[in-house]
Amino acid sequence: MWNGYRVGGRLNSHLRKMYHIKIGLVLLLSWTNSAVGSIAQHDDSFQPDHILRVTAQDYTEACNTRYSVLVNGSSPGPELRLREGKVNWIRVYNDMKDENTTIHWHGLTAFTAPFSDGAPAASQWPISAGHFFDYEVKPEVGTAGTYFYHSHVGFQAVTAKGSLIVDSVNDLPYSYDEERTIMLSDFFNETDKTIIDGLTSSDFTWSGETNALLVNGKSRQATNSTGSCQLASISIEPGLTYRLRFIGATALSFISLAIESHNVSIIEADGHYTKSVHTSFLQIGSGQRYSVLLTAKSEDELEKAGKRHFYIQLTTLARPETLTNLAVLQYSGGTGANLTTVPSPPPLPVAKIAEGWLDYELESLSPIYEFPTLDEVTRRIIIEVHQNVSDHVIWLQNGYEWVESFPKSPYLVDIYTGKLNTEETYQRAISRGNGFDNITRTFPAQIGEVLEIVWQNEGTFTNGGLDVHPFHAHGRHFYDIGGGDGKYNATANEERLKSSRPILRDTSMLYRYRNETDPLAPSGWRAWRIKVTDAGVWMYHCHSLQHMIMGMQTVFIFGDRNEVIAQSAPVGVGYLTYGGSAYGNSTHSPVVRHFFT
């Protein structure tokens, strides 16, 4: 299968040898003399800290069996726990027969190990079938929090994913007795291939709406009259305080979530501690994460309630059809809930979308606060997004779609080999006035710039239709400076920020504010600010998988070629060719750069 790349990397052997020699001679001197990191062969004596094996097979969820991509044989895959400041080597095997894969560490930064970001066509060649890749992951000190990992190829992330928790080296700002991880995801009846073919074909076929919402891989709907599938159960003890880590790992669904007879306090968003915010519900888009504190009921309160289980109710938002699913918050003692019986009607009112939920309200808890003001902004980039119909249905950013197959090789590889001229790319983008280089389809920026990035929602070119979009940034997190209806107004928004303390995020929601408007009319915006401090190639994209496949992605290039290479180190040719020696297989061990050690 192509996925935008040559199957198996089978170049003509003579040409491949010549290419290796040419690139190797260019990079050898600086590579071997580099003071950053070291080169090592990961032979049988090397022991990775974690091993993930990616397979494709029939798998049963929500009372249905579907051919799915799995991690270590399940969905979600195993939870990984890393520690701030500690280097982790995570080996990812691609055990599939005809598919590429990668793993992206969603929300974690990869500044000094750029080939470990897991974004194919942007920062690394994908892992071809029968190969493995050793990812070097070192969470920065100060980034303890809730993350997850997932494949970044095609539609694989609908099932190929798992939770990732970064533990702190310092005392926590909030105290609690225990914690629980709650991963939210979607189920689709059709296979990944069928969905991709339908979305990219000139005979456009929609994937269909989410068939089930899953909690930690489990779901049962009121319509399931047969089958052994069950609702997920989250077990707790009376009187204790719990940290609930919610992970929005959905493909499409924007979810409202509430817990029957319980309120919670938000303490973390996207890996950053916040001032405590009391709330009766959460809104979680694909890619977003929140930690909340929940105080469990006492035995006296449970006796008065007359029950020991309470429903967690999930409702999809901003979709043509509303889907409501449930999980169970189960107190110990007594008779447990019947997990194969789904109450109808649901115990809570069906939720409605709250546009701008907690915008300007969530505030950073960090004592180190370096939020750039409007006066410090050196350049504003407006990214206009809308759907278009040409020979197929696509999502455009500033008039262009971006898909994995567009660049013939990853941008980071082209920068290392000198194929992509970062200076020319930057000058073209500046001359166009909107910061976008339509030749490479990238947004370049220089180190030291302070960017204000505005995602501007517009009506579909044909009928004015609108959608919501959870936009996610790889690399350094951004300050989310809010959103609103209509067209972005910097002066008006700056007034709102005077009474706010924006927080760092890596994923935030672009709302639509109405179902449709005039074609290309502005209807909703989301704005970020970021100081460009780390060179590299970073994906910025909608995290709805269907929208990504239909072109709703782009790439930011921070820094010039020298700065990109200096940020980490020169690398050998094994990273710069598909199936190169940095990727191991059954016949050879990989030759790997240790960026941190």
Side-chain angles (χ1 to χ4, degrees), residues 86 242 339:
K86 182 181 182 299
Y242 287 86
L339 300 179

Side-chain angles (χ1 to χ4, degrees), residues 433-452:
N434 60 1
F436 178 67
D437 174 33
N438 64 323
I439 303 300
T440 59
R441 300 189 191 179
T442 63
F443 289 87
Q446 295 180 336
I447 300 298
E449 286 192 272
V450 177
L451 303 179
E452 188 165 277

Side-chain angles (χ1 to χ4, degrees), residues 143-147 164-168 243 245 268 271-273 291:
T143 61
T146 308
Y147 303 87
L164 189 159
I165 308 301
V166 176
D167 292 318
S168 178
R243 177 179 185 166
R245 298 178 183 267
E268 178 218 346
H272 299 278
Y273 284 107
S291 281

